[in-house]
Amino acid sequence: MPNLSGNYRWRIVLLLFFATTINYIDRQVLSFTMIDETFRQEMMGKTGEEALTESDLDQFKVLYSYIDTVFKVAYALGFLLTGWLIDRVGTKRGFSISIVVWSIAGVLNAFIGSLRGLSMVRFMLGIGEAGNFPSAIKSVAEWFPKKERSFAAGLFNAGTNVGIIVTAALIPWLTLQFGWRFSFIATGLLGFLVLIAWLKIYRRPEEHPQVSRAELAYIQQDKEEDIPEEKLSWWRLLGFRQTWAFIVGKFMCDPIWWFYLSWLPDFFNSSESLDQRLDLKNVGLPFLVIYIVSDGGSVLFGWLSSKFIQLGWSANRARKITMLICALCVTPIFFAAQTSSIYVAIALISLATAAHQGWSANIYTFASDLFPKSAVASVTGIGGMFGAMGGILLAAVAGNIRVSFGYLPLFIIASSTYLIALAIIHLLSPTLEPVTKKELDSIGV
């Protein structure tokens, strides 16, 4: 058995993993309830006896795309605001506020009866849920040395996939047995359990009574240059190439992940090319496969980057080679929209989602690798905001593209985006050098 008194930081990762899992459960419930006939009828103002026509279904999908856009607008604003908040009030307090907001919004989903009401609640949910990743990345920066950060990020980021797996396994059954409203109530209340655990367990390592001196020294082994203690403004942070390298990785690739989350249930439910179509009764198994594989990708590629650094590679080489491997793994996904075999489609999508999670585990380390700890949440918030903005742009057109041209154009976008993003990142920051005091002074306040 490992000496847990010298490895308390891994308990923090476990806590972040569970928080991320609940975060994704709450946001994903809608993706599965949206294929429930009763939900669609109520949102379109139909009674139980009025069947939806094909025209009604197409209209619903376009309107759902707009509601998805509303969530992403809120998520973009929430990233910027919560990143700023967390750097100023601290990780513990800032994350607590976010959990409360998103949990209340999750429960409120159960009490709406129109698409307009749904859009308002999803806006609130987006604001609250945006606090998860700035909090988690700042926590990793506080609790881990650089050589372990991508692995730690990969571990907590695996909670995104577990959240989707739990949602795929649980929500169809809950919806069929108890109705779609109960699904939102049951999952929304889970956030308050995470809140209790967070308040009880989390402190900075230098303040935590269960962290030994040896572990604290290990955590703090990376000696940062003497960086000013004043908080860095958003405008000042935008003056660094390192910030824009992070922004590009988020802006271009986050929308692809959002696309998977929002539209894969509909792809399997309505794709004209597949030899089988899935509904609430059998959609869970493919998602179980896809996101278990994704979990493996998050952990594997996070570990791989950390392993390269332990072998003596620079952080620049380790991160970029790992991200290149991830980008190449996404490339074949365009064929998922052309194959008639549901098994081939599941395999291609599984590979792509696993690679995306590996990409995310590495891109998230940019904030903590390149900036002082006092700015990590703000940088993560800025990048997350641009990632959500990219998601907004894709969500705004995805419904119309889907109805007019099918899924092939969307999968082609997914297959090429990561390689283009990596090339731009390399141009912006060829060496991934951390921000120095000299650079800070040259930018000014």
Side-chain angles (χ1 to χ4, degrees), residues 237-306:
L237 289 169
L238 288 172
F240 299 109
R241 292 175 294 104
Q242 293 92 330
T243 305
W244 286 100
F246 181 59
I247 285 172
V248 166
K250 299 291 288 177
F251 177 78
M252 294 188 67
C253 299
D254 278 15
I256 309 304
W257 182 247
W258 287 108
F259 163 66
Y260 298 148
L261 299 185
S262 300
W263 289 98
L264 283 184
D266 180 71
F267 171 72
F268 287 116
N269 178 248
S270 60
S271 176
E272 296 178 356
S273 63
L274 295 178
D275 53 10
Q276 298 180 47
R277 293 191 184 185
L278 307 178
D279 56 24
L280 276 177
K281 295 179 181 178
N282 53 19
V283 74
L285 183 58
F287 279 83
L288 182 65
V289 173
I290 289 169
Y291 290 108
I292 285 178
V293 175
S294 299
D295 253 347
S298 181
V299 176
L300 172 64
F301 291 116
W303 169 86
L304 184 62
S305 179
S306 292

Side-chain angles (χ1 to χ4, degrees), residues 80-287:
L80 196 62
L81 295 173
T82 57
W84 173 86
L85 178 69
I86 290 160
D87 274 337
R88 278 150 183 79
V89 306
T91 312
K92 184 171 186 174
R93 188 179 302 174
F95 198 21
S96 298
I97 294 170
S98 294
I99 295 172
V100 169
V101 172
W102 99 52
S103 298
I104 292 174
V107 173
L108 288 178
N109 275 272
F111 298 95
I112 52 92
S114 67
L115 289 171
R116 177 178 295 181
L118 182 62
S119 65
M120 294 173 63
V121 174
R122 300 305 287 184
F123 187 90
M124 180 180 176
L125 184 71
I127 292 289
E129 293 222 327
N132 184 80
F133 285 97
S135 301
I137 297 302
K138 189 174 180 72
S139 299
V140 168
E142 291 174 346
W143 277 87
F144 287 85
K146 286 184 179 180
K147 65 183 181 182
E148 290 184 343
R149 286 178 189 169
S150 67
F151 184 41
L155 289 173
F156 88 72
N157 193 50
T160 62
N161 306 302
V162 173
I164 300 168
I165 290 168
V166 172
T167 308
L170 186 64
I171 297 307
W173 180 82
L174 284 178
T175 301
L176 290 171
Q177 295 296 318
F178 304 105
W180 64 268
R181 295 182 188 276
F182 181 82
S183 297
F184 282 110
I185 294 173
T187 54
L189 293 176
L190 293 175
F192 294 103
L193 299 179
V194 172
L195 177 64
I196 294 170
W198 177 256
L199 292 173
K200 181 177 178 61
I201 295 173
Y202 193 84
R203 299 184 194 178
R204 290 169 59 90
E206 56 269 27
E207 300 169 354
H208 209 294
Q210 297 194 50
V211 175
S212 66
R213 291 184 179 180
E215 183 174 15
L216 184 60
Y218 182 81
I219 291 169
Q220 298 178 341
Q221 65 183 268
D222 300 311
K223 293 183 179 180
E224 293 182 340
E225 188 178 355
D226 186 19
I227 300 292
E229 287 297 321
E230 73 266 17
K231 305 301 181 183
L232 301 176
S233 67
W234 295 325
W235 184 254
R236 196 173 178 188
L237 289 169
L238 288 172
F240 299 109
R241 292 175 294 104
Q242 293 92 330
T243 305
W244 286 100
F246 181 59
I247 285 172
V248 166
K250 299 291 288 177
F251 177 78
M252 294 188 67
C253 299
D254 278 15
I256 309 304
W257 182 247
W258 287 108
F259 163 66
Y260 298 148
L261 299 185
S262 300
W263 289 98
L264 283 184
D266 180 71
F267 171 72
F268 287 116
N269 178 248
S270 60
S271 176
E272 296 178 356
S273 63
L274 295 178
D275 53 10
Q276 298 180 47
R277 293 191 184 185
L278 307 178
D279 56 24
L280 276 177
K281 295 179 181 178
N282 53 19
V283 74
L285 183 58
F287 279 83

Side-chain angles (χ1 to χ4, degrees), residues 149-150 153-154 157 298 301-302 356-365:
R149 286 178 189 169
S150 67
N157 193 50
S298 181
F301 291 116
H356 173 88
Q357 291 296 72
W359 173 281
S360 291
N362 282 274
I363 198 73
Y364 272 129
T365 65

